[in-house]
Amino acid sequence: MNEKIAVIGLGYVGLPVALAFAGRMPGTVGFDIDPQRIADLRAGRDATGEVDAQNLRDTALQVSDRPEDLAGVTFFVVTVPTPVTDNKQPDLRPLESACRTIAPYLTPGCIVVFESTVYPGVTEEVCGPLLAEVSGLTLGRDFTLGYSPERINPGDRVHTFEAIVKVVSGQDEATLERVAKAYETVVAAGVYRAASIKVAEAAKVIENTQRDINIALMNELSIIFDRLGIRAADVLAAARTKWNFLPFSPGLVGGHCIGVDPYYLTAKAQAVGYNPEVILSGRRINDQMGRFIAERTIKQIAAAGMEIRGARVGVLGLTFKEDVPDLRNSRVPDIIEELTAYGAIPLAHDPLADPEQARHEYGCDLVGFEALNDLSGIVVAVAHRQFKSAPQADLLAGLRPGGAVVDVKSMLDPAALPAGAHYWSL
């Protein structure tokens, strides 16, 4: 291919994409505005844990935080995050900032492909006009747009960038074919040509919305089963024996995708006059699960006959999911906040999370495992591999006799708990 590629944003999504392109297209540029991120990558360190040091040392990828290194690029891939504001509205500022960064380096014939999750219409109605305004070029004549939704699952070593079918789209037929050809070069699983950019945008946002709603159903069922005095994990184990039962589980829903993307779709739906009741209902259920788990923890401690105020409660795990260091939009801090409101003293331990980031994002001071002693309760919030592989007796060694064990992921063996422990799980 006769393209010079630049990937804008080198996070969980952008770095694997940039490395894949660099492996086939020498001269590929990986750009990020964070100088520390660039310094770490040059030193062979990936804070996301997605890429090992050897791959970073062996790559031909040129990483940079200097916009001038984007000169001469013909094919831009934008992979910056798309968060929501405090009032759950789409926050397009990172996307708009990326457009302003690359616009001065657009030249006739360039293509800009967006991978960031957005609501249908953002690429053509927001990004395209902004790129044209800042660059002084004409959209559709001097440069064109594409959209290819990211499908990377952090921490997943099976469903990697190259192994997942890539949905591609373009604002015209020629652009679509150039976008498809570029991704076919690096994605072994092949590409799917979507009917339009809006279709591709919608396909991505509903992938995570579907998962969010299904998990919300499991969470609501777990609340009902709790009131009925039965364990959701036992009910689901029985139900999964039917061939067409969908294997979703209850739990905390956070991260930069499932806990965020549905709000992009609902905001657009409301903008065109429709109130999406099912999607928003699912979001409400999932957003309150941290509080629900904290309340059940308090009840278990009370049932054990222990004082709530001043009770030390160990919280195992702070990241948004198992086996990743990503703290973005984690719902575990909801548990910590609610426990604190009851007067308990939560002690969070996570072997993967960055202590500085935990303090900055949530005001949470992580502790070493050795600090988890004299505990009235333990909340196993995230099923990290380190926790699952540890002997259960060691994991619960800091629990006081008769203390509470709250097993969010149903990871523990209830039959092997310390004698007298008050056990509860989703």
Side-chain angles (χ1 to χ4, degrees):
M1 279 194 66
N2 190 27
E3 300 276 17
K4 181 172 181 180
I5 309 286
V7 177
I8 312 302
L10 296 177
Y12 280 88
V13 174
L15 182 59
V17 172
L19 290 172
F21 276 120
R24 301 299 298 274
M25 302 179 197
T28 295
V29 177
F31 176 86
D32 200 284
I33 61 172
D34 183 359
Q36 186 59 56
R37 176 67 167 158
I38 296 302
D40 285 346
L41 293 176
R42 285 174 176 163
R45 297 189 300 268
D46 173 25
T48 71
E50 294 297 300
V51 179
D52 62 34
Q54 189 62 48
N55 284 341
L56 288 174
R57 284 193 292 267
D58 293 344
T59 184
L61 178 67
Q62 176 190 349
V63 296
S64 175
D65 59 351
R66 299 173 355 121
E68 52 265 37
D69 287 335
L70 300 176
V73 168
T74 62
F75 194 100
F76 293 86
V77 180
V78 180
T79 64
V80 298
T82 43
V84 293
T85 63
D86 290 341
N87 61 347
K88 308 301 185 185
Q89 293 298 304
D91 183 357
L92 298 179
R93 287 176 297 178
L95 206 53
E96 292 168 343
S97 177
C99 289
R100 291 190 176 92
T101 296
I102 66 179
Y105 302 96
L106 290 179
T107 55
C110 278
I111 291 177
V112 183
V113 179
F114 294 88
E115 290 206 6
S116 308
T117 303
V118 293
Y119 58 77
V122 167
T123 299
E124 295 166 290
E125 297 165 11
V126 177
C127 298
L130 181 56
L131 288 167
E133 176 188 345
V134 177
S135 69
L137 301 178
T138 300
L139 174 60
R141 184 192 70 190
D142 298 326
F143 72 95
T144 54
L145 305 172
Y147 184 80
S148 181
E150 61 91 359
R151 283 178 160 175
I152 290 174
N153 183 28
D156 191 333
R157 299 295 181 261
V158 176
H159 302 99
T160 59
F161 171 69
E162 296 88 348
I164 307 170
V165 172
K166 201 78 169 76
V167 174
V168 297
S169 63
Q171 73 177 98
D172 56 43
E173 193 62 30
T175 300
L176 173 61
E177 290 310 309
R178 270 182 70 184
V179 173
K181 185 177 180 181
Y183 281 107
E184 283 173 337
T185 304
V186 292
V187 178
V191 303
Y192 175 87
R193 292 165 172 78
S196 68
I197 287 177
K198 281 188 177 181
V199 166
E201 290 169 324
K204 171 54 184 175
V205 78
I206 70 166
E207 289 176 15
N208 288 329
T209 300
Q210 182 188 64
R211 285 187 57 79
D212 193 43
I213 291 171
N214 276 290
I215 297 171
L217 173 60
M218 296 300 105
N219 279 334
E220 187 165 58
L221 290 173
S222 71
I223 294 170
I224 294 170
F225 296 147
D226 179 60
R227 295 196 177 193
L228 295 176
I230 53 178
R231 188 169 174 244
D234 294 336
V235 177
L236 294 175
R240 285 177 186 141
T241 59
K242 189 180 181 190
W243 77 93
N244 61 352
F245 185 82
L246 300 178
F248 287 93
S249 300
L252 299 168
V253 182
H256 64 293
C257 289
I258 299 179
V260 172
D261 295 351
Y263 288 120
Y264 273 74
L265 184 57
T266 58
K268 186 62 174 179
Q270 289 168 335
V272 296
Y274 179 77
N275 188 51
E277 297 179 13
V278 173
I279 299 172
L280 287 174
S281 176
R283 281 281 73 234
R284 284 192 294 271
I285 291 170
N286 286 339
D287 278 348
Q288 63 89 40
M289 286 304 292
R291 173 177 291 184
F292 172 70
I293 291 166
E295 290 173 348
R296 293 303 286 118
T297 303
I298 294 299
K299 288 180 179 178
Q300 292 297 107
I301 294 173
M306 297 179 179
E307 286 290 330
I308 303 301
R309 185 161 297 278
R312 292 166 57 87
V313 181
V315 179
L316 297 179
L318 188 67
T319 61
F320 90 90
K321 65 177 285 189
E322 64 275 6
D323 302 327
V324 300
D326 196 349
L327 288 169
R328 288 177 296 174
N329 198 36
S330 171
R331 308 320 300 180
V332 179
D334 296 347
I335 299 175
I336 294 171
E337 183 178 350
E338 192 70 12
L339 290 173
T340 302
Y342 275 98
I345 302 173
L347 304 166
H349 168 71
D350 194 308
L352 299 183
D354 181 274
E356 280 191 27
Q357 188 181 6
R359 189 178 303 111
H360 177 267
E361 293 292 329
Y362 302 111
C364 177
D365 289 315
L366 294 174
V367 303
F369 186 77
E370 68 280 357
L372 301 181
N373 53 63
D374 192 30
L375 302 176
S376 299
I378 289 181
V379 179
V380 183
V382 186
H384 286 317
R385 191 177 296 111
Q386 290 94 324
F387 298 154
K388 293 168 74 173
S389 62
Q392 188 165 297
D394 293 349
L395 203 62
L396 305 179
L399 188 68
R400 293 170 57 189
V405 178
V406 172
D407 187 8
V408 174
K409 300 294 290 184
S410 297
M411 185 188 87
L412 305 176
D413 178 6
L417 292 171
H422 286 68
Y423 178 79
W424 180 88
S425 71
L426 277 179

